[in-house]
Amino acid sequence: MPEYRYHQQPGCGGCLFFIMIALLLFGGAPLLFEVMGFLLVSGLFFIFFIFAAIWGTSSYVRYKVSNYEQQQSEDRNHFVQLLTHILVKIAQIDGVVTRAEVQTIKNFFRVNLHYNQEQMFWINELIKEASQSTETIDSLLTQFKNSFAYEPRLILVELVYQVLYTKENILPEELDMAARIAAFLDISQYDQQTIWSKYHYRRRQQPGVSQEQKYYEVLGLSPGAEFSEIKKAYRKLSMKYHPDKVGHLGEEFRRVAEEKMKDINVAYDYFSKKMS
């Protein structure tokens, strides 16, 4: 039995035709032209209003971004600019940046780094610039390497992994890119391992992995390491992640270093109590 097809209701075109007929009948051509002229002027005014609103909003955003940038240090502006461009380049591995990937980057700044609306205006502009940029990842990393010392480079790699592990599904190519970024920036294998371990084990409970093993991973050590090795690793990591070494980049990056130090301290306190 064929499916019944409902008839569509008449569109607005029919309504407009009947209105024009009514205007002609009750007011003649002058009334028709008067009404149609009013509608035309109203339509043009509405279009002008929309364009003015778009232009005003765009100007307001550009003003807020420019005003905010001028209040920040050059190092901080450069760090965030390169960070944003690098994150977008990672998202472009498959040739296109999806809306979900852009939202992941925005959420990272908004949620993880606690950026407010004014700061997010800035990030949105940087993401637009990065999406249109033809600059290569190697060029961006070279700029970063030449501009910042080892400790800020560590924070960059920390943030790259942090963004990747906020995604539901991480592509193997993305993790490979993160490792390549760390190698390009001359981050030691030891330091890269401690960063990867932090987010890898935090993401989900790994079967067969004890809390003690996670603490070893945080310190970049193999299970069963002597306390002297643990103490040496703790001192080395404490120097690298001291918040004062990245404080000039902004309070949000100082907090990233402080969070890393908390993980290091928790691991060291565990072994101190166990082995003392």
Side-chain angles (χ1 to χ4, degrees), residues 20-265:
M20 292 174 66
I21 294 298
L23 289 172
L24 279 172
L25 291 175
F26 293 102
L31 179 61
L32 175 62
F33 287 126
E34 184 178 342
V35 172
M36 294 303 292
F38 172 78
L39 292 176
L40 178 61
V41 172
S42 299
L44 290 174
F45 177 79
F46 179 75
I47 293 172
F48 172 79
F49 177 80
I50 293 297
F51 276 105
I54 294 173
W55 178 84
T57 302
S58 176
S59 296
Y60 173 76
V61 169
R62 288 199 302 270
Y63 167 77
K64 297 293 286 185
V65 169
S66 176
N67 188 55
Y68 179 78
E69 285 178 329
Q70 291 173 17
Q71 296 173 12
Q72 311 307 312
S73 69
E74 187 175 341
D75 276 350
R76 183 172 187 272
N77 287 339
H78 198 203
F79 185 93
V80 177
Q81 179 192 39
L82 289 174
L83 169 63
T84 307
H85 278 244
I86 289 168
L87 293 177
V88 170
K89 287 300 176 185
I90 294 174
Q92 288 177 332
I93 287 178
D94 55 358
V96 63
V97 181
T98 65
R99 183 176 300 179
E101 288 172 322
V102 169
Q103 196 58 47
T104 296
I105 296 173
K106 290 181 179 180
N107 287 341
F108 162 72
F109 283 98
R110 185 183 297 109
V111 178
N112 295 56
L113 297 185
H114 310 290
Y115 273 27
N116 58 31
Q117 186 179 36
E118 184 179 41
Q119 291 170 311
M120 288 309 301
F121 283 150
W122 182 37
I123 295 303
N124 290 338
E125 290 299 305
L126 290 177
I127 290 175
K128 288 178 187 177
E129 293 171 8
S131 300
Q132 298 168 1
S133 173
T134 57
E135 204 161 10
T136 65
I137 185 74
D138 287 354
S139 173
L140 293 168
L141 292 174
T142 298
Q143 291 180 52
F144 198 93
K145 186 176 179 179
N146 293 337
S147 301
F148 297 101
Y150 190 81
E151 291 78 12
R153 283 185 257 154
L154 267 181
I155 293 298
L156 175 74
V157 175
E158 181 94 16
L159 294 173
V160 166
Y161 276 100
Q162 194 174 121
V163 173
L164 289 180
Y165 277 96
T166 61
K167 298 177 64 175
E168 187 67 26
N169 298 305
I170 309 172
L171 299 176
E173 294 86 353
E174 292 174 324
L175 289 175
D176 289 342
M177 176 65 81
R180 191 167 81 81
I181 289 171
F184 195 103
L185 296 177
D186 290 336
I187 302 300
S188 70
Q189 188 64 39
Y190 168 81
D191 288 332
Q192 186 186 342
Q193 178 67 25
T194 64
I195 295 171
W196 173 82
S197 298
K198 171 183 176 180
Y199 297 102
H200 179 69
Y201 289 117
R202 179 181 290 180
R203 183 179 178 90
R204 61 177 68 88
Q205 292 297 324
Q206 301 291 325
V209 179
S210 66
Q211 188 65 46
E212 182 171 299
Q213 185 174 339
K214 294 177 185 178
Y215 288 147
Y216 276 119
E217 291 283 357
V218 166
L219 296 174
L221 299 172
S222 301
E226 299 290 333
F227 187 64
S228 58
E229 295 178 76
I230 293 171
K231 187 181 294 186
K232 182 179 179 181
Y234 171 74
R235 288 174 177 170
K236 185 188 299 182
L237 289 170
S238 297
M239 291 178 62
K240 292 175 181 176
Y241 284 98
H242 195 288
D244 288 347
K245 293 192 174 182
V246 294
H248 63 290
L249 300 177
E251 187 58 33
E252 67 271 38
F253 302 114
R254 183 184 180 88
R255 285 196 299 266
V256 172
E258 288 173 348
E259 182 184 345
K260 179 74 173 185
M261 279 304 305
K262 287 178 184 177
D263 292 336
I264 295 168
N265 286 329

